[in-house]
Amino acid sequence: MHGRRHFTHRICKRGHLKRACISYKGELTSLYEYIPRMRKSNPEEAQENIANGVSSQRTYNILVSLSGHLFDKFLINEALDMIEAAGGSFHLAKCKLGQSADAESYSELEVGADDKRVLDQIIDSLTRLANPDEDYISPPREANKISLKIGKVQQEKEVKEKPEMTKKSGVLIIGAGRVCRPAAEFLASVRTISSQQWYKTYFGAESEEQRDVRVIVASMYLKDAKKTIEGIPDVEAVQLDVSDSENLLKYVSEVDVVLSLLPASCHAVVAKTCIEMKKHLVTASYVDDETSMLHEKAKTSGITILGEMGLDPGIDHMMAMKMINEAHIRKGKVKSFTSYCGGLPSPAAANNPLAYKFSWSPAGAIRAGRNPAKYKSNGDVVNVDGENLYDSATSFRVPNLPAFALECLPNRNSLVYGEFYGIESEATTIFRGTLRYEGFSMIMATLSKLGFFDNEANQVLSTGKKITFGALLSNILKKDADNDSEPLAGEEEISKRIIKLGHTKETATKAAKTIVFLGFNEEREIPSLCKSVFDATCYLMEEKLAYSGDEQDMVLLHHEVEVEFPESKRVEKHSTTLLEFGDNKNGQTTTAMAKTVGIPAAIGALLLIEDKIKTRGVLRPLEPEVYLPALDILQAYGIKLIEKTE
């Protein structure tokens, strides 16, 4: 045994015998490394690919034929080295070995590369190997040349493609406002995210299947639709007036789901068209009486009209139902349900006396602040008149986020949510509130009492004469009635005037600071469109309380549920919190409000596309078939919920 090892050692070390040594110490010698490299290439697979015109490896492919003393002169090593060193790959398509010292061998290789320049470099190197000249440094070959034949370069897109396992669907988004862009981005990205594991988990997709969604964004003005989708690949912009029934029918017929982001008053006409065309509909608005009346027609048509699929309403419903149903499954009784939601400036952007900004017209927000409210507290029903809503605000802190100094205002009728959530008979407290930074309500209440929100035609503004904001301020604060010659030029003078009208020094000081910040004391002309003090106030608020270029908004949604377990008498407190900020990417600002309204609505459309929602008719996201996958997808997409139990 020792003698054989010594003999092998002598062969593999002697120059004239070295080339005959195939392996040494259990490993192939360098001259024979081509053997495993060629074994890894499946000739049958490569031959089949070539016959079908398909490469299984690279974008650019070419068939190369080599003949000569490829193996006994080890020229194949050089050829394979050139291919791999350049960044290419090869598949052995055919191989015939010469059976004598004089016979030549023949090989066909499918050579591939993802860059055409790389493939050109490989072809050039192989050509110079077959046709050496003085510029090519290589050992003298004498008769050891190879013959080279090169086929036609094939690009993957030009050859027969493998059939794609792709499910194709269409969504029509009507309305190209701020909320539209996040919805369009989400739906346009479905083809990409459908290959991700979380998508397959939620929708049960096969590994090779992909969902491809055609997204059409429609607006009354084509330029608005185009601006909204700018930078989003594979999204189409069209002009559509929903009052044009023929055009509406045309676009609805081309898709599977319609997502209406229009004002709530426009949903009914879209819904009726969807019923006629048997297409599902999703909205982010409250389900009003007119839409509710379409329930039976929608069921008969076999479609789902999914409303209230935004933030509030929307995510608030889904978070609540998940918490409440989990409590009921464990035989618990919900004793208290409280919900708080607010669209706010981020702390850095809350840089004005109100610590508040508007991302659209302030008129709606101001009117909402004067709506009456009703809620249940420890078994008692509490009614709040709209005129006193700001005065009813209370200080509030989110336990998980103690740094936020907030206050809470009751939000309309909370009792109907007890009915929606199935807790009206068990919960002694049911409350839904709107969040603002602390101090907001005191200032707004003072401005309201002073008359800044009066919507009746103002006598001074109705004269048709040009009037300045400063003059209107004097009229509002009744300066002329006292024959006071002191101008209301600054905070101090305005504050004194407000105190004279019966307000405290603290409220007067804060209100005066806000009035000056808005520019109500300036001697500039009021636009003729302002017919009331409310109009003038909204005009200044829209001007002075708007977000600047890179400022962020913020959405904060917080639920608290107190659950009692009758058998054990144990009480648990559950909370879920959503905190989301707006972002600015590639010069494109997306608000937190737009994301948290648009993305849930788009998720609703996706659930209908994937046939995960089986219920037909008009519904809210109160059923597990909607809220369970929707909340999971929301978090997988990056909008996180913080859950806590005590």
Side-chain angles (χ1 to χ4, degrees):
M1 188 72 171
H2 175 74
R4 283 201 296 272
R5 283 202 303 267
H6 180 66
F7 177 72
T8 303
H9 175 80
R10 291 171 62 196
I11 289 176
C12 292
K13 289 297 182 183
R14 293 196 177 187
H16 61 285
L17 297 175
K18 185 176 180 180
R19 294 161 70 90
C21 185
I22 297 175
S23 67
Y24 178 60
K25 292 186 177 181
E27 296 182 0
L28 288 169
T29 59
S30 60
L31 293 174
Y32 292 88
E33 285 179 349
Y34 67 83
I35 296 174
R37 293 160 76 184
M38 298 185 78
R39 277 180 175 172
K40 288 180 183 177
S41 177
N42 186 333
E44 293 181 2
E45 178 186 343
Q47 189 64 43
E48 183 180 346
N49 286 340
I50 293 167
N52 293 330
V54 176
S55 167
S56 60
Q57 293 290 325
R58 300 301 184 94
T59 306
Y60 299 94
N61 303 277
I62 193 168
L63 188 64
V64 175
S65 301
L66 299 172
S67 59
H69 291 275
L70 304 176
F71 301 96
D72 53 337
K73 302 300 183 182
F74 307 104
L75 299 176
I76 193 66
N77 273 351
E78 289 190 63
L80 301 186
D81 286 344
M82 288 174 176
I83 294 169
E84 293 181 337
S89 63
F90 68 90
H91 286 278
L92 182 61
K94 189 181 294 185
C95 184
K96 292 182 179 179
L97 295 176
Q99 300 301 309
S100 69
D102 297 326
E104 293 185 342
S105 299
Y106 176 79
S107 290
E108 285 184 1
L109 300 175
E110 182 196 14
V111 180
D114 292 326
D115 190 322
K116 180 65 163 54
R117 291 170 297 181
V118 171
L119 190 60
D120 289 341
Q121 179 186 336
I122 292 170
I123 294 169
D124 183 56
S125 297
L126 292 176
T127 301
R128 287 188 286 133
L129 177 63
N131 303 286
D133 55 34
E134 65 271 13
D135 295 325
Y136 181 72
I137 301 172
S138 179
R141 291 198 178 83
E142 300 174 354
N144 299 337
K145 294 182 180 180
I146 60 173
S147 297
L148 176 70
K149 289 184 180 179
I150 298 174
K152 180 184 176 184
V153 175
Q154 288 187 313
Q155 191 173 346
E156 194 67 13
K157 67 180 181 180
E158 295 174 347
V159 297
K160 182 181 177 182
E161 296 182 353
K162 291 180 180 177
E164 288 187 26
M165 300 296 290
T166 303
K167 298 178 181 178
K168 300 199 174 190
S169 308
V171 176
L172 172 66
I173 304 176
I174 308 178
R178 288 181 175 88
V179 172
C180 175
R181 185 175 179 87
E185 284 180 326
F186 176 87
L187 290 167
S189 71
V190 165
R191 183 179 179 89
T192 301
I193 63 177
S194 65
S195 62
Q196 296 179 11
Q197 188 55 50
W198 65 262
Y199 190 99
K200 296 172 188 175
T201 300
Y202 301 139
F203 295 112
E206 296 297 329
S207 59
E208 63 271 6
E209 282 188 325
Q210 283 187 316
R211 169 70 68 181
D212 190 9
V213 179
R214 177 195 179 200
V215 182
I216 304 171
V217 172
S219 176
M220 181 175 286
Y221 302 104
L222 182 60
K223 63 179 178 62
D224 293 340
K226 287 183 175 180
K227 183 178 179 181
T228 296
I229 68 170
E230 187 177 351
I232 309 176
D234 303 321
V235 177
E236 179 183 352
V238 300
Q239 189 278 330
L240 175 63
D241 181 348
V242 293
S243 64
D244 181 350
S245 56
E246 184 178 346
N247 219 17
L248 181 61
L249 279 167
K250 172 184 178 295
Y251 285 114
V252 170
S253 69
E254 293 178 6
V255 298
D256 302 281
V257 179
V258 176
L259 172 51
S260 177
L261 299 176
L262 296 169
S265 58
C266 299
H267 292 328
V269 65
V270 177
K272 290 171 184 176
T273 304
C274 287
I275 290 170
E276 180 182 349
M277 302 304 296
K278 301 185 185 302
K279 307 292 183 178
H280 301 300
L281 173 65
V282 180
T283 81
S285 306
Y286 286 102
V287 175
D288 58 16
D289 291 341
E290 189 174 8
T291 303
S292 295
M293 291 172 63
L294 298 173
H295 177 67
E296 290 302 326
K297 288 184 178 179
K299 282 182 69 176
T300 302
S301 182
I303 71 162
T304 298
I305 298 176
L306 176 59
E308 304 187 9
M309 197 66 185
L311 169 66
D312 178 1
I315 299 176
D316 60 341
H317 283 328
M318 297 187 282
M319 282 170 47
M321 289 308 301
K322 182 173 183 287
M323 298 170 78
I324 291 167
N325 275 4
E326 285 176 353
H328 286 164
I329 288 170
R330 296 171 58 211
K331 309 299 182 186
K333 289 184 177 287
V334 174
K335 305 305 295 178
S336 172
F337 171 79
T338 52
S339 171
Y340 311 87
C341 186
L344 300 160
S346 67
N351 49 11
N352 61 68
L354 281 168
Y356 190 75
K357 290 190 175 179
F358 299 95
S359 53
W360 48 74
S361 173
I366 294 172
R367 291 192 185 101
R370 307 183 78 181
N371 287 324
K374 182 188 291 188
Y375 61 92
K376 186 159 64 169
S377 176
N378 296 317
D380 297 325
V381 175
V382 179
N383 289 281
V384 181
D385 185 76
E387 295 296 319
N388 301 317
L389 187 70
Y390 287 125
D391 289 326
S392 71
T394 56
S395 178
F396 180 74
R397 298 293 182 272
V398 178
N400 297 335
L401 304 166
F404 289 111
L406 303 167
E407 63 186 29
C408 176
L409 298 119
N411 186 4
R412 304 198 187 192
N413 185 0
S414 297
L415 301 188
V416 297
Y417 291 85
E419 299 171 19
F420 287 158
Y421 301 159
I423 57 173
E424 71 273 19
S425 61
E426 61 187 272
T428 57
T429 295
I430 301 173
F431 177 85
R432 296 177 78 251
T434 300
L435 294 176
R436 294 290 182 261
Y437 285 116
E438 209 162 51
F440 172 88
S441 297
M442 178 193 291
I443 297 172
M444 293 293 280
T446 305
L447 294 178
S448 179
K449 291 169 186 175
L450 289 170
F452 282 87
F453 301 151
D454 288 353
N455 206 18
E456 297 80 20
N458 181 271
Q459 188 175 8
V460 174
L461 291 172
S462 300
T463 61
K465 297 180 181 179
K466 294 180 179 180
I467 184 172
T468 66
F469 283 104
L472 181 60
L473 177 63
S474 295
N475 177 261
I476 296 169
L477 299 184
K478 302 176 179 61
K479 171 180 175 291
D480 297 334
D482 290 347
N483 295 316
D484 191 348
S485 59
E486 186 178 356
L488 298 176
E491 288 181 23
E492 187 175 349
E493 293 80 8
I494 295 170
S495 179
K496 287 178 181 178
R497 183 69 239 172
I498 295 173
I499 292 171
K500 281 186 179 182
L501 294 172
H503 297 270
T504 66
K505 183 177 181 180
E506 181 186 8
T507 58
T509 300
K510 291 183 177 180
K513 189 179 289 294
T514 304
I515 289 167
V516 171
F517 177 84
L518 292 175
F520 241 113
N521 61 328
E522 296 175 4
E523 293 303 317
R524 60 173 175 137
E525 190 178 319
I526 298 173
S528 59
L529 291 174
C530 296
K531 302 299 183 185
S532 67
V533 179
F534 178 74
D535 292 341
T537 302
C538 288
Y539 177 85
L540 289 175
M541 284 187 166
E542 188 168 4
E543 180 181 81
K544 296 295 179 70
L545 299 180
Y547 287 93
S548 64
D550 58 353
E551 286 184 331
Q552 291 178 305
D553 74 324
M554 179 181 87
V555 164
L556 178 56
L557 173 60
H558 179 74
H559 284 354
E560 294 180 359
V561 175
E562 188 174 302
V563 183
E564 182 181 77
F565 295 90
E567 293 183 4
S568 64
K569 303 299 182 184
R570 189 177 79 257
V571 175
E572 290 181 356
K573 293 183 178 180
H574 298 260
S575 69
T576 304
T577 307
L578 180 155
L579 177 63
E580 186 71 20
F581 291 91
D583 54 49
N584 191 306
K585 295 178 181 176
N586 302 319
Q588 183 76 44
T589 298
T590 303
T591 66
M593 184 63 70
K595 286 193 286 185
T596 52
V597 174
I599 293 172
I603 290 172
L606 182 60
L607 291 173
L608 287 165
I609 286 171
E610 292 284 3
D611 199 29
K612 294 299 178 183
I613 299 174
K614 306 294 184 182
T615 305
R616 298 297 177 247
V618 178
L619 72 152
R620 298 174 175 89
L622 305 177
E623 300 301 322
E625 65 176 343
V626 181
Y627 67 74
L628 287 178
L631 288 175
D632 285 341
I633 295 167
L634 197 67
Q635 295 205 76
Y637 197 66
I639 297 177
K640 300 300 182 184
L641 306 179
I642 305 168
E643 299 180 79
K644 187 177 179 182
T645 301
E646 296 178 357

